[in-house]
């Protein structure tokens, strides 16, 4: 395993399509795809539905799950539901990873993940109206929010709102307090404020203090010339420990930290925590399971890309043409060999970048389109109508909700068809 110092040397590991394609055989097949994407193209031509499709490479997913288990350092895993937003996909990850702990970010999604086995922590503070809406909905079958759900609270003011809600509706609510360990996106960093909040919880019989959460993705993105990343990670640990000491000394909780949820990390930084003793007893991971493009980080160098958008080619022809000024497009194709061909795909304008065939680029004169995206390519890219173009999403959480069924593919076969969460 790389040293922590090497993991902390920020930024992108290899960068975009180059990182992906360096992991695949270089031999190019029909249409300019390498062997890997030629295989996926054939799968979709045989069994696809002729529309933009989200694909998960199950072998890569399994590899990433094994990497997570290996690097946890004895801590529990909390699966970030928004990054793998499908009940069946979460079940798949949960079964292989051996964890029933989830992190939720959207109140309506609780209906999809709340079950008898779930242990759920909110990953962001919910407006009290959202919390009230949850309790106004029909109760989830075999899910007890009083024992299985922790609400994240970031300020004394929000805590007072939740205290009032709990009293008004006679609810028992578990409270986890968000810490600012250096990201500066909110949360508590003042020990006096934390003591005040813990006192409010103690004085409200309907509330219990159940732990702390400190999210630290900024560590691997800190410019070394400004703040050393190793030094910042040590500061993160000190900030977390100091607030934990306040909580343990307040009388608001047991001094047995195993009885508290002490959550830390995220996909960018979870590998850094493996050698750290104490402090956090669980780590959150989501995007690391599927490794979208924004997670091509040195800290995730052992993870493999597992998530792709595949979309059919609607039109493919030689040259580049620009409406109202054909000569401009022709000049483009003469000047730049990567604009020798034009391809229009089904859909587009996603938070994603095309990765196969290699060398596809959008055309700034024609512009972007979510209906029929125009891409240019060299003469070596001989994709035909009904072939597929493959993109890597830059993130997973919202992009995976846009395509209907998610196809789990292994060894040239569609092994799973999973439905994403429904916004409701």
């Amino acid at each position: 395993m790389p040293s922590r110092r090497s993991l902390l040397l920020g930024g992108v590991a290899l960068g975009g399509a180059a990182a992906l394609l360096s992991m695949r055989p270089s031999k190019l097949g029909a249409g300019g795809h390498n062997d890997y994407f030629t295989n996926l193209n054939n799968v979709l031509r045989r069994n696809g539905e002729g529309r933009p499709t989200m694909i998960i490479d199950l072998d890569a997913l399994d590899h990433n799950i094994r990497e997570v288990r290996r690097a946890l350092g004895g801590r529990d895993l909390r699966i970030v539901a928004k990054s793998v937003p499908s009940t069946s996909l979460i079940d798949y990850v949960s079964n292989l990873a051996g964890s029933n702990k989830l992190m939720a970010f959207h109140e309506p999604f609780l209906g999809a993940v709340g079950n008898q086995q779930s242990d759920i922590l909110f990953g962001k503070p919910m407006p009290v109206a959202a919390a009230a809406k949850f309790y106004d909905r029909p109760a989830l079958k075999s899910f007890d929010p009083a024992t299985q759900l922790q609400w994240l609270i970031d300020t004394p003011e929000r805590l007072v709102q939740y205290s009032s809600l709990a009293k008004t509706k006679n609810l028992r609510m578990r409270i986890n307090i968000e810490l600012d360990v250096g990201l500066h996106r909110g949360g508590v960093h003042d020990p006096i404020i934390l003591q005040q909040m813990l006192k409010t919880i103690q004085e409200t019989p309907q509330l219990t203090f159940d732990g702390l959460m400190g999210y630290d993705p900024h560590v691997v993105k800190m410019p070394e010339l400004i703040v050393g990343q190793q030094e910042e990670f040590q500061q993160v640990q000190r900030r977390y420990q100091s607030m934990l000491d306040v909580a343990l000394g307040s009388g608001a909780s047991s001094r047995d930290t195993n009885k508290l949820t002490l959550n830390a990390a995220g996909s960018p930084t979870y590998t850094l925590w493996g050698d750290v003793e104490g402090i956090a007893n669980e780590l959150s991971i989501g995007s690391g399971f599927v490794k979208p493009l924004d997670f091509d980080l040195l800290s995730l160098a052992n993870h493999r890309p597992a998530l792709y958008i595949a979309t059919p080619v609607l039109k493919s022809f030689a040259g580049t043409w620009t409406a109202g000024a054909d000569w401009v497009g022709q000049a483009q194709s003469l000047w730049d060999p990567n604009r020798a061909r034009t391809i229009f795909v089904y859909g587009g304008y996603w938070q994603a970048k095309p990765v196969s065939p290699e060398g596809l680029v959008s055309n700034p004169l024609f512009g972007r389109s979510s209906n029929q995206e125009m891409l240019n390519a060299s003469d070596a890219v001989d994709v035909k109508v009904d072939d597929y173009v493959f993109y890597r999403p830059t993130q997973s959480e919202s992009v995976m909700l846009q395509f209907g069924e998610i196809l789990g593919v292994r060894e040239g076969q569609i092994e799973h068809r999973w439905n994403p969460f429904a916004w409701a």
Side-chain angles (χ1 to χ4, degrees), residues 315-335:
K315 302 156 188 177
S316 178
F317 46 81
T320 295
W321 307 91
T322 305
D326 289 346
W327 66 270
V328 176
Q330 291 173 319
Q332 276 190 308
S333 60
L334 289 171
W335 177 260

Side-chain angles (χ1 to χ4, degrees), residues 309-361:
I309 298 167
T311 192
V313 173
L314 298 179
K315 302 156 188 177
S316 178
F317 46 81
T320 295
W321 307 91
T322 305
D326 289 346
W327 66 270
V328 176
Q330 291 173 319
Q332 276 190 308
S333 60
L334 289 171
W335 177 260
D336 185 352
N338 288 317
R339 299 193 187 278
R341 292 195 61 81
T342 296
I343 298 163
F344 284 92
V345 299
Y346 188 153
Y349 217 163
W350 300 293
Q351 291 175 269
K353 294 183 179 180
V355 293
S356 190
E358 189 174 2
L360 292 174
V361 291

